[in-house]
Amino acid sequence: MSRILCLIDGMTGPGFSPEDYPHLRTMTMTGPERHTPPGMAPETLNCTLYLLGIRPVPGDLRAYVEALGGGVEAAEEDLLLRLSWYGVDSAGHCTVPIPAPALPGQPGLRHHILRDYQSLLLFPGQAYRLEYLTTRPPLGCHGVPAVFFRPLGFRALEDFFDGQLALGRCPIPWAQARKTAVPPFPVPAAAVCAAPILKGIARLLGMELRNVPGATGDTDTDLSAKTRAALEAAEKYDFVLLHLNGADEASHRLSPEEKRDFLMRADATVLPPLLASRHGVRVTADHATDPRTGRHLDWLQPVFVKEGA
Ligand SMILES: [Zn+2]
């Protein structure tokens, strides 16, 4: 028998009630549990590591985990940053996300496009700059002067930002990190996930990543295929992390209806086969996400446990 953790990103929040979901409500509700590490923001990376038992959750980790998720190699002494690319209007204000551009090679840095508007910037040998570096994450940046997001404390990064701004685009640097070792997950484990940050978490913890065709990390994912993959992995591993990202994405799109619809489909598609299996099953969220504001919330989380598991 294996233990399957079905982690539904951003499941809870205003408007969520377990009574709305016919299969979830048959499970035993326990908790609530704290999934946000003390002193940290309610983000998927922090919360997932915390609920998987990592103590303490290291800071300065995010861009490195994104690199792991994107298959980008980094050395311990390298400085890594996430870039989120935005357009800039004639008044110098950030507009909407734009595709991360392919950049010509530049000495002293490496640029890797992850997907859409997201990329990674790597400065070989510059990890010690972390201590001196200040950045601002791209939260609510629409209409904000682009210079507000200018990094401080590392000249090469400041020059990079200024150079891109002169070209009429704003690469907001944030989530600076260095390669950090975390103890491997204590039992043989596999992960079924598509969101890049989750792939990075799985690699960080030494979990086997199961590739599932049709898994998108959003509401259009193939829920049946992910469930089958989790049950297959449960035959081989002591622990399986099944991550569903659609509710969080729908919440960020400010769509309560889409969030609820996704949770309904997860309840109808994912839970019956898991509950009918011989494996232990727990269902919970990393954090709450408010579909009216798109913001993560630092709420304690209920944990739904399969009866008898
Ligand atoms: Zn989110």
Side-chain angles (χ1 to χ4, degrees), residues 123-202:
F123 292 92
Q126 303 294 319
Y128 72 96
R129 306 270 186 187
L130 268 173
E131 203 180 327
Y132 312 103
L133 184 58
T134 304
T135 63
R136 292 177 160 165
L139 286 174
C141 63
H142 191 269
V144 175
V147 290
F148 178 80
F149 298 100
R150 188 174 189 273
L152 284 174
F154 178 27
R155 182 63 187 271
L157 177 61
E158 294 166 24
D159 288 348
F160 174 85
F161 180 89
D162 293 342
Q164 293 301 314
L165 208 55
L167 295 171
R169 55 199 184 202
C170 180
I172 299 178
W174 61 291
Q176 54 266 32
R178 69 189 304 165
K179 182 175 183 177
T180 305
V182 169
F185 198 71
V187 298
V192 177
C193 56
I197 192 77
L198 259 292
K199 290 186 173 181
I201 289 171

Side-chain angles (χ1 to χ4, degrees), residues 248 252 287 296:
D248 189 59
H252 290 311
H287 52 68
H296 293 174

Side-chain angles (χ1 to χ4, degrees), residues 9 43-44 248-249 252 287 289 294 296:
D9 205 302
E43 292 293 341
T44 295
D248 189 59
E249 296 295 337
H252 290 311
H287 52 68
T289 312
H296 293 174

Side-chain angles (χ1 to χ4, degrees), residues 29-154:
M29 187 163 76
T30 65
E33 286 183 359
R34 163 172 285 281
H35 292 163
T36 305
M40 296 184 113
E43 292 293 341
T44 295
L45 173 60
N46 301 334
C47 297
T48 303
L49 289 176
Y50 196 72
L51 82 89
L52 290 174
I54 303 300
R55 302 285 188 281
V57 173
D60 296 337
L61 197 59
R62 171 129 191 183
Y64 172 58
V65 176
E66 298 240 14
L68 283 174
V72 175
E73 295 284 333
E76 264 170 44
E77 58 276 12
D78 297 343
L79 172 67
L80 294 129
L81 296 113
R82 264 291 316 282
L83 295 178
S84 296
W85 291 83
Y86 285 83
V88 179
D89 67 16
S90 57
H93 295 168
C94 291
T95 59
V96 294
I98 58 169
L103 302 178
Q106 295 182 46
L109 63 85
R110 281 161 42 200
H111 180 247
H112 299 272
I113 295 173
L114 291 173
R115 62 214 154 260
D116 309 329
Y117 65 96
Q118 304 169 10
S119 66
L120 272 175
L121 203 53
L122 188 152
F123 292 92
Q126 303 294 319
Y128 72 96
R129 306 270 186 187
L130 268 173
E131 203 180 327
Y132 312 103
L133 184 58
T134 304
T135 63
R136 292 177 160 165
L139 286 174
C141 63
H142 191 269
V144 175
V147 290
F148 178 80
F149 298 100
R150 188 174 189 273
L152 284 174
F154 178 27

Side-chain angles (χ1 to χ4, degrees), residues 212-228 244 269:
V212 181
T216 63
D218 209 323
T219 49
D220 60 352
T221 199
D222 188 337
L223 289 168
S224 300
K226 288 185 81 168
T227 309
R228 279 196 304 275
L244 306 179
T269 309

